[in-house]
């Protein structure tokens, strides 16, 4: 990319942002690992055309066509970091009160060359043409276009019961061992593959929303809930002769999380989904997805006490101690304990944690919820029995545990582990305040893995191994393999399993992602995730021997990512 036409001032500014002008031209980001860069900025599945345009007096001229193009670029490349309203998330705020004083030349340098704080070098890398860099510099000085709200009318209009409850099976009509069935996300086709874990055969390919983020089970194990990034939820009845959709609903324009009621007496009664846009959560009937209650999450942040208009709902878990959903609100750093025993008089306990809350899971007792505040480099611990914050634990750079991993350390007792996006460490946190009080809510051991870029870590109560993936690591040898630690000899060097090599695929990135155990705990499944037009696979490993057991290949397995075993998901086994 040729930037010789930039003013001397712009080049100097780019150098200041980057550390030196020479650094800027390389596109490197000191202090920001490439694996973190790979994680940021996923496209926002909101139609840019639905966002209302607002021109700002005093801002640079921009035509209607240019504004429309800039909206699309921002939603596809920038909103994941900076937020739809540009108020800041993992990226800095980019509202006109900040951008107008900077001016077009400064912003062109910033967009073109990036920054050491993690801003990609869109210009010098060639990702954006010079005219688009100029366009985005002008666009960012105008008020951000606001997508429409999505309330009860819109949600109810999207709601469909495809098979009424009274027309559904009274008992299981198929002969599958449902405890060992897997729901596998097919990211780029908007589907999930329902796979029989015993035979390794695909039972059905079910149409869903775009890029399913998570699959959750009803407490009974009958109903499977999946939610796409486009906020569409599908309810799948596993009792049908061929499991398929029985209801669907769209709870917003972008979302990540769905969960079901688990407390005794409320099994299968309610479902909840959290939205990125609008920032809210929706409570529904468990067997039909009928929407019952919508609650907004806009409010003040836990640290600076500033109002945030776009606090997205991240992970949600169902409490085993009370009739409560535990809801992570990312940008405000608050954890909400939502009591569903009386929806008309909803009681919500707010627990102040840290920004920016993302994913997490239970300790082995199912009492304590441990969740990543990823940009704060902390794990927040909530006691679901008292509905209070137990601790904030400092860990490595950008923890990303998935649900985490529980096991008993030979020296420190019960621990929960997280890996990290930003470094190669695995943090082990003590979780037994009664039996091992001095170790509780502290990092008792730090392991070194293959590298940064980890998304998931996994073990099983019947396993003596800990599996750590690294799909976002820039080294293909690392992203295409997994590290395995021997829990009986935790200080020993890890073993590397060449999962992608075992799959014997053709060209493609072949990122190995998300270990998931079968119901018995003697097999581990891995997705080998390539491009939408390239062959992917699922590799099954024998947990006892760490040898290849099966490779599942099928032309319908397009971009497989997350996998969720029915039994383990029902019982929060990880």
């Amino acid at each position: 990319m040729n930037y010789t036409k930039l003013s001397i001032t712009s080049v100097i500014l780019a150098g200041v942002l980057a550390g030196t002008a020479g650094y800027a031209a390389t596109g490197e980001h000191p202090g920001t690992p490439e694996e973190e860069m790979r994680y940021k900025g996923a496209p926002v599945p909101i139609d840019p055309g639905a966002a209302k345009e607002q021109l700002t007096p005093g801002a640079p001229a921009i035509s209607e066509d240019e504004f429309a193009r800039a909206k699309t670029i921002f939603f596809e490349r920038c909103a994941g970091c900076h937020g739809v309203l540009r108020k800041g998330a993992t990226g800095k705020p980019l509202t006109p009160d900040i951008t107008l004083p900077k001016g077009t030349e400064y912003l062109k340098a910033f967009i073109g060359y990036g920054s050491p704080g993690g801003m990609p070098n869109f210009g010098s890398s060639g990702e954006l043409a010079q005219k688009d860099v100029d366009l985005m510099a002008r666009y960012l000085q105008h008020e951000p276009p606001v997508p429409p709200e999505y309330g009860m009318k819109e949600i109810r209009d999207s709601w469909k019961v495809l098979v009424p409850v009274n027309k559904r099976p009274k008992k299981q009509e198929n002969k599958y061992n449902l405890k060992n069935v897997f729901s596998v996300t097919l990211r780029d086709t908007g589907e999930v593959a329902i796979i029989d874990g015993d035979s390794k055969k695909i039972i059905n390919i079910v149409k869903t929303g775009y890029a399913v983020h998570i699959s959750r089970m009803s407490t009974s194990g009958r109903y499977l809930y999946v939610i796409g990034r486009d906020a569409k939820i599908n309810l799948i009845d596993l009792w049908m002769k061929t499991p398929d959709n029985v209801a669907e609903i769209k709870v917003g324009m972008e979302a990540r999380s769905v969960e079901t009621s688990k407390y005794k007496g409320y099994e299968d009664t309610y479902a909840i989904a959290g939205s990125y846009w609008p920032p809210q959560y929706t409570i529904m009937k468990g067997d039909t997805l009928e929407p019952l209650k919508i609650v907004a999450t806009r409010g003040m942040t836990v640290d600076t006490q500033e109002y945030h208009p776009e606090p997205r709902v991240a992970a949600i878990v169902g409490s085993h101690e009370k009739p409560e959903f535990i809801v992570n609100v990312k940008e405000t750093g608050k954890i909400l304990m939502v009591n569903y025993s009386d929806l008309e008089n909803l009681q919500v306990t707010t627990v102040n944690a840290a920004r920016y809350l993302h994913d997490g899971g239970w300790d082995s007792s199912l009492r304590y919820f441990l969740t990543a505040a990823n940009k704060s480099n902390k794990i927040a611990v909530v006691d679901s029995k008292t509905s209070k914050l137990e601790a904030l634990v400092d860990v490595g750079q950008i923890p990303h545990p998935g649900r985490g991993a529980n096991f008993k350390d030979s020296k420190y007792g019960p621990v929960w582990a997280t890996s990290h996006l930003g470094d190669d460490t695995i943090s082990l946190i003590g979780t037994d305040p009664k039996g091992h009080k001095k170790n509780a809510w502290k990092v008792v051991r730090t392991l070194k893995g293959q590298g940064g870029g980890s998304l998931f870590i996994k073990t099983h109560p019947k396993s003596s191994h800990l599996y750590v993936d690294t799909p976002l690591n820039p080294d293909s040898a690392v992203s295409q393999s997994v590290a395995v630690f021997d829990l009986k000899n935790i200080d020993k060097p890890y073993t590397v399993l060449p999962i992608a090599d075992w799959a014997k695929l053709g060209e493609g990135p072949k990122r190995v992602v998300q270990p998931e155990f079968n119901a018995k705990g003697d097999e581990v499944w891995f997705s080998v995730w390539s491009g939408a037009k390239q062959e992917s696979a699922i590799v099954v490993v024998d947990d006892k021997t760490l040898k290849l057991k099966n490779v599942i290949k099928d032309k319908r397995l397009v971009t497989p990512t997350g996998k969720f075993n029915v039994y383990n998901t029902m019982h929060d086994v990880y």
Side-chain angles (χ1 to χ4, degrees):
M1 192 72 202
N2 183 4
Y3 274 80
T4 56
K5 294 183 179 180
L6 282 178
S7 68
I8 296 297
T9 302
S10 298
V11 175
I12 293 171
L13 282 171
V16 170
L17 289 168
T20 68
Y23 141 76
T26 70
E28 296 176 359
H29 299 274
T32 305
E34 186 175 337
E35 45 269 44
E36 180 183 346
M37 298 298 296
R38 289 178 176 220
Y39 177 68
K40 289 180 169 183
V44 169
I46 297 174
D47 177 12
K52 185 178 179 181
E53 299 173 4
Q54 302 181 74
L55 297 180
T56 301
I62 186 169
S63 70
E64 186 176 325
D65 288 345
E66 285 181 320
F67 204 104
R69 174 166 175 73
K71 280 195 299 183
T72 298
I73 292 173
F74 186 83
F75 278 33
E76 289 181 351
R77 297 173 181 264
C78 316
C81 264
H82 298 282
V84 171
L85 301 183
R86 307 207 308 252
K87 286 287 187 178
T90 50
K92 299 290 187 183
L94 293 173
T95 45
D97 59 310
I98 296 170
T99 56
L100 263 173
K102 299 291 186 186
T104 302
E105 293 302 310
Y106 179 101
L107 294 171
K108 284 168 66 175
F110 189 80
I111 296 165
Y113 292 110
S115 79
M119 174 70 179
N121 54 320
F122 285 113
S124 59
S125 69
E127 288 192 54
L128 289 182
Q130 184 173 353
K131 65 178 182 179
D132 284 333
V133 172
D134 177 76
L135 169 61
M136 296 308 294
R138 289 181 284 127
Y139 168 79
L140 291 177
Q141 296 173 71
H142 290 270
E143 287 293 330
V146 181
E149 297 296 320
Y150 205 89
M152 184 58 81
K153 179 185 182 303
E154 291 79 12
I155 291 175
R156 289 195 73 90
D157 285 349
S158 75
W159 172 49
K160 297 177 184 177
V161 177
L162 306 174
V163 181
V165 174
N166 61 5
K167 300 292 185 181
R168 298 176 195 170
K170 304 296 187 232
K171 60 181 180 179
Q172 184 179 337
E173 291 185 344
N174 57 63
K175 296 184 179 180
Y176 298 112
N177 172 18
L178 292 184
K179 290 183 178 180
N180 201 35
V181 163
F182 288 76
S183 173
V184 180
T185 296
L186 305 181
R187 178 186 170 91
D188 292 339
T189 62
E191 298 170 322
V192 293
I194 308 299
I195 301 181
D196 177 12
D198 292 347
S199 69
K200 313 297 188 292
K201 301 294 185 182
I202 294 176
I203 297 170
N204 197 17
I205 302 291
V206 181
K207 287 291 183 183
T208 63
Y210 166 72
V212 164
H213 193 251
I214 196 168
S215 297
R216 300 300 292 163
M217 290 302 308
S218 66
T219 309
S220 68
R222 174 177 183 171
Y223 290 116
L224 173 67
Y225 302 76
V226 298
I227 189 165
R229 288 174 179 257
D230 58 0
K232 183 180 180 182
I233 303 171
N234 290 81
L235 178 62
I236 299 168
D237 187 351
L238 296 180
W239 280 12
M240 296 170 69
K241 187 174 182 180
T242 302
D244 210 336
N245 287 316
V246 293
E248 63 182 46
I249 196 169
K250 191 169 164 59
V251 295
M253 296 183 177
E254 185 181 8
R256 295 294 186 276
S257 54
V258 67
E259 180 60 297
T260 65
S261 52
K262 295 180 178 292
Y263 188 67
K264 186 176 181 181
Y266 293 91
E267 300 92 336
D268 292 25
T269 302
Y270 296 120
I272 183 174
S275 302
Y276 269 26
W277 186 267
Q280 61 195 30
Y281 56 87
T282 303
I283 300 175
M284 301 154 282
K285 284 188 178 179
D287 58 357
T288 65
L289 300 182
E290 179 183 358
L292 302 173
K293 190 90 171 180
I294 306 171
V295 183
T297 54
R298 294 178 171 103
M300 315 307 281
T301 62
V302 295
D303 43 15
T304 57
Q305 298 288 292
E306 294 176 88
Y307 176 75
H308 201 295
E310 194 187 346
R312 299 172 289 180
V313 178
I316 303 176
V317 296
S319 175
H320 301 268
E321 294 282 348
K322 296 178 183 179
E324 288 183 340
F325 293 119
I326 303 179
V327 178
N328 276 353
V329 185
K330 185 183 288 282
E331 277 74 20
T332 56
K334 295 179 179 180
I335 300 172
L336 308 180
M337 318 293 282
V338 180
N339 190 302
Y340 51 75
S341 63
D342 183 358
L343 296 186
E344 289 301 314
N345 302 284
L346 192 69
Q347 294 185 10
V348 180
T349 300
T350 300
V351 178
N352 287 343
R355 303 167 76 187
Y356 294 88
L357 294 167
H358 192 59
D359 56 352
W362 295 105
D363 79 310
S364 57
S365 73
L366 301 181
R367 173 174 171 175
Y368 298 98
F369 176 54
L370 295 96
T371 186
N374 54 22
K375 287 302 289 184
S376 297
N377 300 329
K378 296 179 186 294
I379 296 293
V381 184
V382 174
D383 185 344
S384 66
K385 190 171 185 177
T386 64
S387 298
K388 293 182 178 180
L389 184 71
E390 192 75 12
L392 284 173
V393 185
D394 291 320
V395 290
Q397 187 174 352
I398 314 180
H400 194 288
R403 294 299 189 188
N406 289 298
F407 57 94
K408 190 172 183 178
D409 185 279
S410 58
K411 182 176 180 180
Y412 300 105
V415 297
W416 178 93
T418 181
S419 52
H420 300 86
L421 270 163
D423 65 34
D424 62 359
T425 64
I426 296 103
S427 298
L428 276 56
I429 298 171
T431 61
D432 183 15
K434 288 188 177 180
H436 299 78
K437 187 175 181 179
K438 67 178 182 178
N439 300 330
W441 321 131
K442 299 175 183 176
V443 174
V444 295
R445 196 190 293 270
T446 300
L447 308 177
K448 290 282 187 178
Q450 290 197 89
S454 177
L455 292 179
F456 297 100
I457 185 169
K458 187 75 71 170
T459 188
H460 188 279
K462 295 181 180 178
S463 174
S464 61
H465 295 120
L466 177 69
Y467 298 83
V468 184
D469 72 11
T470 40
L472 299 187
N473 194 283
D475 184 341
S476 61
V478 176
S479 65
Q480 295 180 6
S481 61
V482 295
V484 187
F485 292 87
D486 181 353
L487 297 181
K488 294 179 180 178
N489 298 280
I490 199 74
D491 292 322
K492 286 178 57 178
Y494 55 79
T495 298
V496 176
L497 301 186
I499 301 296
D501 288 347
W502 288 347
K504 297 188 183 303
L505 301 174
E507 292 184 354
K510 298 187 284 287
R511 291 163 291 203
V512 174
V513 64
Q514 207 224 21
E516 173 73 337
F517 278 83
N518 64 345
K520 289 183 179 179
D522 59 6
E523 291 179 355
V524 193
W525 292 34
F526 299 90
S527 295
V528 185
W529 170 23
S530 278
K533 295 183 179 180
Q534 297 165 322
E535 187 180 29
S536 294
I538 294 172
V539 170
V540 182
V541 173
D542 186 313
D543 178 61
K544 303 300 179 186
T545 65
L546 300 184
K547 302 294 184 182
L548 175 65
K549 189 169 183 179
N550 293 95
V551 178
I552 304 173
K553 291 184 179 180
D554 191 294
K555 65 181 180 180
R556 296 170 293 172
L557 287 178
V558 179
T559 57
T561 53
K563 299 164 301 303
F564 304 88
N565 173 268
V566 167
Y567 182 85
N568 294 335
T569 304
M570 282 170 60
H571 298 282
D572 290 312
V573 175
Y574 34 79

